[in-house]
């Protein structure tokens, strides 16, 4: 397996800025696979015509160009490059039960969203754009909830599939997804099905045809100084029904205490963002007869931002499934410090968040 460099530590930005993504023309090999489903398939003077006389005033120097930042982390691009990539952003649907252990590749993700699925358990939507690891998984199926999660990033989803009603809705939303049978999606013989489907994103990325725009900034990125002081909060528990995700703050980052990830592949969160969301019925049941929930990731709700061992309360809003996510406090916009963020979509009804000092 190719050695990948360790994740760089977050670099402080001088202030919030939008990512600069300068697209260079490229010719890349299309991804032609049976498992790939494409959804949707002059001059002029003053009014008087008089020229201003030449003077001795010095000409002003051009304003320095803002450094490029990665859209899914807000971090500056190393080496003065730009954030354009020869591949789209990818979202890998990863199982989040004990059967998934050890999860692979999470430490290379830019951003992770945890969402409710049937039975009160959760599934992860892990975003990859900056770096594409060779082994990610175990890969599981999509949910209708993913439409609101994935669409703002214009991401391609790597999945084991979905119920027919979900596939129709995902296609109608214009989302591209890759499933089993595509190059780069494989079964690991050392694992038991269905928890043995894995993805080689490095291979998938080299085959991609960059037809979609670069992802927009997923959050409004800023610096730690942009976050109100809030209250001390070094521990939080996000309760989904039958599953609880627990985070503890130490040495500058948040650690998922009960993570199923391999010990050296755990996601280190610079920020944990908890959003209280409405959950409805997706309209069908799983093979075990459980109703399948659908997170309504649009509208408004309460938000809790955890950074630096402190917590700030605010609200979130999203005008539609494909719209960007915005955060506010009574004092104004709430910007997320640039870095690696884990978003908890905790049900407004039936879920809970417990905070400890």
């Amino acid at each position: 397996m190719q050695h990948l460099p360790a994740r760089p530590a977050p670099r402080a930005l001088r202030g919030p800025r939008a990512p600069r993504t300068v697209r260079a023309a490229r010719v890349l090999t299309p991804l032609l696979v049976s498992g790939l489903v494409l959804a949707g398939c002059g001059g002029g003077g003053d009014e008087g015509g008089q020229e201003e006389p030449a003077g001795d005033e010095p000409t002003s120097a051009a304003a320095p160009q803002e450094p490029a930042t990665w859209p899914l982390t807000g971090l500056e691009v190393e080496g003065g490059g730009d954030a354009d990539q020869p591949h789209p952003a990818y979202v890998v649907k990863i199982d989040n039960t004990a059967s998934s252990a050890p999860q692979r590749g999470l430490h290379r993700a830019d951003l992770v969203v945890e969402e409710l699925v049937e039975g009160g358990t959760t599934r992860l939507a892990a975003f990859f754009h900056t770096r594409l690891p060779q082994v990610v998984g175990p890969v599981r199926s999509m949910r209708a909830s993913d439409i609101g999660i994935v669409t703002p990033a214009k991401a391609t989803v790597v999945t084991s599939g979905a119920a027919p009603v979900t596939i129709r809705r995902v296609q109608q939303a214009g989302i591209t997804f890759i499933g089993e049978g595509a190059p780069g999606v494989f079964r690991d013989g050392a694992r038991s099905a269905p928890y043995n489907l894995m993805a080689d994103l490095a291979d998938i990325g080299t085959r991609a045809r960059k037809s979609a725009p670069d992802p927009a900034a997923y959050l409004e990125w800023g610096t730690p100084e942009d976050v109100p002081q809030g209250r001390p909060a070094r521990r939080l528990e996000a309760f989904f029904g039958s599953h609880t995700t627990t985070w503890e703050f130490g040495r500058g980052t948040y650690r998922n205490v009960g993570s199923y990830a391999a010990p050296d592949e755990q996601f280190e969160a610079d920020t944990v963002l908890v959003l209280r969301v409405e959950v409805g019925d997706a309209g069908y049941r799983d093979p075990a007869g459980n109703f399948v929930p659908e997170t309504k990731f649009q509208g408004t709700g309460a938000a809790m931002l955890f950074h630096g061992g402190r917590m700030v309360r605010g609200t979130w809003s999203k005008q539609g499934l494909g719209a960007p996510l915005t955060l506010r406090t009574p004092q104004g916009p709430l910007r997320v410090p640039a870095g690696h963020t884990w978003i908890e979509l905790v049900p407004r009804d039936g879920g809970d968040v417990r905070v400890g000092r």
Side-chain angles (χ1 to χ4, degrees):
M1 175 174 174
Q2 180 183 355
H3 174 73
L4 294 172
R7 194 186 80 189
R11 296 177 55 187
L13 303 181
R14 291 188 294 273
R17 54 177 72 94
R20 178 175 61 85
T21 55
V22 182
R23 173 81 47 82
R26 292 184 175 89
V27 179
L28 297 170
T29 304
L31 176 60
L32 301 176
V33 295
S34 60
L36 172 63
V37 181
L38 293 177
C41 271
D46 296 335
E47 278 189 335
Q50 297 179 346
E51 294 183 1
E52 293 289 333
D56 296 328
E57 295 180 3
T59 57
S60 59
Q65 191 174 39
E66 293 286 356
T69 56
W70 295 110
L72 301 183
T73 64
L75 296 172
E76 291 184 11
V77 178
E78 297 288 344
D82 62 58
D84 191 33
Q85 290 280 48
H87 56 75
Y90 293 102
V91 170
V92 183
K93 292 305 306 292
I94 299 178
D95 187 85
N96 196 42
T97 66
S99 300
S100 68
Q103 296 165 334
R104 300 294 309 277
L106 275 181
H107 64 315
R108 302 298 181 192
D110 290 325
L111 178 145
V112 178
V113 179
E114 183 171 9
E115 61 186 286
L116 178 71
V117 292
E118 52 274 17
T121 61
T122 64
R123 194 154 291 177
L124 307 180
F127 288 71
F128 298 87
H129 183 241
T130 308
R131 298 163 298 173
L132 301 183
Q134 291 180 313
V135 182
V136 181
V139 179
R140 298 302 305 275
S141 58
M142 296 181 292
R143 297 292 184 274
S145 306
D146 295 319
I147 297 173
I149 295 170
V150 170
T151 308
K154 305 178 180 66
T156 294
V157 182
V158 181
T159 175
S160 63
V165 63
T166 299
I167 289 179
R168 287 194 297 271
R169 292 183 58 186
V170 168
Q171 289 175 327
Q172 291 169 358
I175 297 173
T176 299
F177 59 93
I178 298 172
E180 186 171 9
V185 182
F186 63 95
R187 294 281 177 180
D188 182 348
R191 292 172 175 257
S192 300
Y195 307 100
N196 62 349
L197 189 65
M198 313 297 284
D200 182 342
L201 288 186
D203 181 43
I204 292 171
T206 61
R207 300 170 184 271
R209 177 169 58 88
K210 187 73 176 284
S211 58
D214 291 312
Y218 201 81
L219 295 163
E220 190 172 0
W221 302 110
T223 70
E225 290 73 24
D226 293 319
V227 181
Q229 186 173 12
R231 53 169 280 197
R234 303 181 68 88
R235 179 183 174 92
L236 69 115
E237 298 176 354
F239 176 69
F240 287 85
S242 63
H243 172 80
T244 300
T245 298
T246 301
W247 295 92
E248 290 184 350
F249 179 77
R251 299 183 179 180
T253 62
Y254 291 85
R255 180 175 64 92
N256 185 345
V257 176
S259 175
Y260 299 116
D264 58 346
E265 298 189 13
Q266 295 193 23
F267 185 89
E268 295 181 4
D270 300 301
T271 300
V272 178
L273 179 60
V274 178
L275 307 179
R276 303 305 299 270
V277 295
E278 179 184 351
V279 175
D281 190 338
Y284 65 97
R285 295 184 178 272
D286 70 1
N290 298 309
F291 103 94
V292 177
E294 178 181 350
T295 295
K296 309 292 186 179
F297 199 20
Q298 59 183 335
T300 62
M304 304 165 72
L305 188 148
F306 296 82
H307 182 84
R310 306 185 74 87
M311 182 269 289
V312 175
R313 293 185 182 273
T315 58
W316 67 270
S317 63
K318 202 165 176 286
Q319 298 304 312
L321 292 178
L325 174 66
T326 59
L327 304 170
R328 293 189 64 85
T329 68
Q331 290 71 41
L334 176 60
R335 298 180 176 89
V336 178
H340 294 80
T341 303
W342 185 293
I343 301 176
E344 302 279 14
L345 299 182
V346 178
R348 184 179 303 160
D349 299 320
D352 195 13
V353 182
R354 305 181 185 97
V355 181
R357 292 175 177 268

